[in-house]
Amino acid sequence: KSTELIDIIEEDRKLIPGDTDFTLSEYTEKCIMYGIIILFGPVFPLAPLVALICNMVDVRVDGYRILWKNRRYIAQRAEDIGIWQYILELLNMVGVVVNSLILAFTLKGSKSIIFQPDADGNNSYEPWMVAFAFEHVCFALKFIVSYIIPDVPSDVQFKMRKEQFQVNQLFEKGQPKKRDSKANGDTNPAV
């Protein structure tokens, strides 16, 4: 069994080394694609479908590259996605503003409930007010949903607390007892 492991390690050494920061390039690629979809999706409605197809191909290509062409990556522990969370939140906010402006300025020619007749009987339309109202409704919904849905599900929180409790129990049981140097007759205990 150990010879099989040695063979696997030797085969792995023959492969080309992977990117030094594979995660950075993947996050960058995905954030750019998400930004394009959220900012230009209303202009080109097929953009999400094109992005889905690109991502499906990308998963296969990356999987092939990681499994068969490159050396295995050394796993690194991370608590969350770091700065990328803030970048995605910024993209969300900019996307809401851009999409509300696109919506407000393209509704100008359509008949809807937002057209108000003025004193002359003509329909007046204020695109800035529509954009402002739509934007605030979207932000309110976003914050309500993010408040209602927890970041960490309750079952995961329970398992994390259970694991922490078990680790604490192991540390309490595994504490080595200190030897009393005077009881052994040592006048100069070793440090």
Side-chain angles (χ1 to χ4, degrees):
K1 191 170 185 174
S2 64
T3 56
E4 291 176 9
L5 180 62
I6 292 173
D7 291 341
I8 291 171
I9 293 171
E10 287 298 319
E11 288 296 319
D12 197 33
R13 285 184 60 216
K14 292 177 186 175
L15 297 173
I16 35 178
D19 299 336
T20 55
D21 200 352
F22 179 73
T23 311
L24 175 68
S25 63
E26 284 298 307
Y27 274 129
T28 304
E29 178 184 339
K30 300 306 182 242
C31 281
I32 289 172
M33 189 171 296
Y34 180 68
I36 289 172
I37 290 170
I38 200 159
L39 295 175
F40 303 113
V43 178
F44 180 56
L46 288 177
L49 179 64
V50 172
L52 177 67
I53 293 169
C54 287
N55 281 335
M56 290 171 67
V57 170
D58 188 45
V59 165
R60 296 295 179 188
V61 169
D62 286 343
Y64 178 76
R65 184 173 49 133
I66 290 170
L67 290 174
W68 304 108
K69 293 296 179 188
N70 293 346
R71 289 184 194 159
R72 294 179 190 209
Y73 291 97
I74 298 171
Q76 297 176 356
R77 191 173 198 125
E79 187 175 325
D80 55 11
I81 62 173
I83 191 73
W84 295 104
Q85 177 73 29
Y86 301 112
I87 292 171
L88 290 172
E89 286 179 10
L90 177 70
L91 279 173
N92 284 335
M93 290 185 184
V94 170
V96 167
V97 171
V98 168
N99 287 327
S100 64
L101 290 172
I102 289 173
L103 175 73
F105 284 100
T106 56
L107 276 179
K108 215 173 203 175
S110 68
K111 300 284 184 202
S112 68
I113 60 171
I114 53 179
F115 286 101
Q116 306 260 335
D118 58 7
D120 297 334
N122 297 330
N123 286 335
S124 65
Y125 176 72
E126 294 293 331
W128 293 107
M129 293 304 290
V130 172
F132 184 77
F134 181 73
E135 170 189 322
H136 277 69
V137 167
C138 288
F139 282 138
L141 286 174
K142 177 196 177 298
F143 291 123
I144 289 170
V145 168
S146 66
Y147 180 75
I148 292 172
I149 299 173
D151 290 338
V152 180
S154 59
D155 59 329
V156 174
Q157 285 179 343
F158 175 75
K159 289 177 183 177
M160 288 170 58
R161 285 194 309 261
K162 181 180 176 183
E163 181 181 339
Q164 185 63 39
F165 176 76
Q166 290 171 343
V167 168
N168 289 341
Q169 290 294 327
L170 285 174
F171 277 127
E172 287 175 7
K173 287 180 183 177
Q175 291 281 339
K177 295 182 180 178
K178 294 184 180 178
R179 288 185 4 193
D180 190 9
S181 60
K182 293 180 181 173
N184 292 339
D186 292 338
T187 56
N188 215 358
V191 178

